[in-house]
C-alpha cells in the first residue's frame, strides 16, 4: 500500500495542476480579447481541427449508429416496440452518445496533437525565440488553437450525429424495410428543443476543455523528447476526465432547468 506521505504528495500535485490550469484558463480569457487578432492562424487551425478530424468522426458516428441499432433491435422486438426504434436512437445519439463519444475521439486526436506540437516547440526553444522576436506566443499558439477547437467541435458533433442516424437508418432499412422518409420523420418528431439545445451548448465547453488542456500540457512541457510524449499522453487523459465532469454538470443543470 502507498504510504500516507506518497498519497499526500499525489493530492498536492493534483491540486497544483488544477490551480495552474485555472491560471492558464484565466490568462486565455484575458488574451482572447486583446489585439492583434491572429485571424489567419485561427482559420488555419480551424482547418486542421475540423477537416482533418472529419473522417475519423464520420467513421465513429457511422459505427455508433450501426451498433446501437443492432444491439437494441432484438430487445425492442421482444417487447413489440420496434416502431420506437427511430425515436429511441435519435434521442440517445443527440442527447448523449454523439456528443460525448465525438468529444472523446477528438480529445485523443486533437488534444494529443496540440500537446505534442506545442511541447516540441517548447523543447526546441521555438517559443522562446518567438518571445525574443516580439511575437506573443501565447496569443499565436494557444488562443488560436483553443478557439479553433471550441468552434469546430460542435460542427463535428452535428456531422457525427447525422452520420450515426444514417447508419441506424441503414440497419432499419435492411432488416425492417423502413423508408428514408418514414425513419427521419419519426426522428425529427421525437426530438425537441430540450434535446438539441443543451446537447449543442455543452459541445462548446467540451471543445474549450480539450483545447485548454492540450495547450496547457504542451506549453509547460518539460525538457526532452520524453517530456513531449508525456505532454501528449497526459493531455488525452486529463481532457477525457474533464469531459466526463463537464458532461455530468451539463446533464445535472439541464435536468434542473427543464424541470422548473
Amino acid at each position: 500500500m502507498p504510504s500516507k506521505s506518497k498519497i499526500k504528495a499525489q493530492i498536492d500535485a493534483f491540486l497544483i495542476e488544477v490551480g495552474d490550469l485555472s491560471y492558464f484558463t484565466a490568462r486565455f480569457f484575458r488574451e482572447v480579447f486583446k489585439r492583434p487578432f491572429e485571424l489567419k492562424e485561427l482559420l488555419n487551425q480551424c482547418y486542421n481541427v475540423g477537416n482533418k478530424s472529419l473522417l475519423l468522426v464520420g467513421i465513429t458516428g457511422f459505427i455508433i449508429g450501426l451498433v446501437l441499432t443492432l444491439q437494441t433491435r432484438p430487445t425492442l422486438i421482444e417487447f413489440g416496440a420496434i416502431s420506437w426504434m427511430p425515436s429511441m436512437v435519435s434521442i440517445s445519439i443527440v442527447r448523449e452518445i454523439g456528443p460525448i463519444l465525438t468529444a472523446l475521439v477528438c480529445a485523443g486526436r486533437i488534444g494529443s496533437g496540440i500537446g505534442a506540437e506545442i511541447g516540441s516547440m517548447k523543447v526546441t526553444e521555438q517559443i522562446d525565440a518567438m518571445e525574443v522576436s516580439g511575437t506573443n506566443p501565447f496569443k499565436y499558439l494557444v488562443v488560436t488553437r483553443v478557439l479553433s477547437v471550441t468552434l469546430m467541435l460542435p460542427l463535428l458533433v452535428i456531422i457525427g450525429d447525422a452520420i450515426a442516424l444514417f447508419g441506424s437508418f441503414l440497419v432499419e432499412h435492411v432488416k425492417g424495410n423502413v423508408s428514408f422518409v418514414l425513419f427521419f420523420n419519426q426522428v425529427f418528431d421525437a426530438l425537441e428543443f430540450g434535446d438539441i439545445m443543451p446537447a449543442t451548448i455543452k459541445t462548446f465547453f467540451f471543445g474549450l476543455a480539450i483545447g485548454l488542456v492540450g495547450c496547457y500540457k504542451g506549453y509547460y512541457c518539460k525538457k526532452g523528447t520524453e517530456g513531449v510524449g508525456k505532454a501528449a499522453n497526459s493531455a488525452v487523459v486529463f481532457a477525457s476526465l474533464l469531459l466526463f465532469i463537464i458532461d455530468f454538470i451539463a446533464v445535472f443543470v439541464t435536468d434542473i432547468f427543464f424541470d422548473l
Side-chain angles (χ1 to χ4, degrees):
M1 290 182 64
S3 61
K4 290 184 178 180
S5 59
K6 189 174 181 180
I7 294 175
K8 184 178 181 300
Q10 291 176 343
I11 294 174
D12 290 343
F14 175 76
L15 293 176
I16 291 172
E17 187 94 349
V18 171
D20 290 342
L21 181 58
S22 301
Y23 174 78
F24 190 82
T25 304
R27 185 180 176 187
F28 163 77
F29 282 109
R30 286 199 309 269
E31 295 284 350
V32 73
F33 298 108
K34 292 181 180 179
R35 293 178 181 275
F37 301 116
E38 303 287 352
L39 293 179
K40 185 177 180 180
E41 179 64 14
L42 175 61
L43 293 175
N44 181 48
Q45 291 304 319
C46 286
Y47 173 80
N48 290 334
V49 169
N51 185 65
K52 294 184 178 181
S53 303
L54 193 57
L55 180 61
L56 180 61
V57 169
I59 293 173
T60 303
F62 187 69
I63 293 174
I64 289 171
L66 292 178
V67 172
L68 181 62
T69 308
L70 286 171
Q71 292 283 3
T72 311
R73 206 169 192 281
T75 304
L76 292 182
I77 291 175
E78 184 178 345
F79 286 96
I82 190 62
S83 61
W84 288 95
M85 175 63 75
S87 304
M88 186 278 300
V89 169
S90 62
I91 292 174
S92 300
I93 289 175
V94 171
R95 272 190 180 182
E96 191 61 33
I97 298 176
I100 193 64
L101 286 185
T102 302
L104 287 172
V105 168
C106 290
R109 191 249 173 231
I110 300 169
S112 62
I114 291 175
E117 182 184 12
I118 298 181
S120 63
M121 295 180 72
K122 181 74 172 179
V123 168
T124 56
E125 299 182 349
Q126 294 181 51
I127 294 178
D128 296 334
M130 291 176 68
E131 290 178 344
V132 171
S133 63
T135 304
N136 185 349
F138 194 94
K139 186 84 173 177
Y140 186 82
L141 297 175
V142 175
V143 173
T144 54
R145 282 162 175 77
V146 175
L147 283 179
S148 65
V149 183
T150 306
L151 294 174
M152 288 294 106
L153 188 62
L155 296 178
L156 291 172
V157 169
I158 291 171
I159 294 171
D161 289 352
I163 295 175
L165 291 174
F166 182 73
S168 176
F169 157 72
L170 288 181
V171 174
E172 281 298 287
H173 180 69
V174 171
K175 289 186 170 289
N177 198 25
V178 177
S179 69
F180 182 87
V181 175
L182 176 60
F183 182 88
F184 280 95
N185 276 341
Q186 293 186 17
V187 165
F188 290 116
D189 285 343
L191 293 174
E192 299 177 354
F193 177 83
D195 301 318
I196 298 173
M197 204 61 191
T200 304
I201 291 173
K202 71 181 179 181
T203 57
F204 286 97
F205 291 96
F206 288 166
L208 182 67
I210 294 171
L212 283 171
V213 171
C215 290
Y216 166 75
K217 291 294 184 180
Y219 205 79
Y220 294 107
C221 172
K222 295 181 180 179
K223 298 293 184 182
T225 54
E226 184 181 356
V228 176
K230 287 183 177 180
N233 181 61
S234 59
V236 177
V237 175
F238 201 26
S240 300
L241 176 62
L242 203 54
L243 289 176
F244 286 115
I245 295 173
I246 293 172
D247 189 46
F248 169 74
I249 295 172
V251 172
F252 184 75
V253 171
T254 301
D255 185 61
I256 294 175
F257 180 77
F258 284 97
D259 278 350
L260 293 178

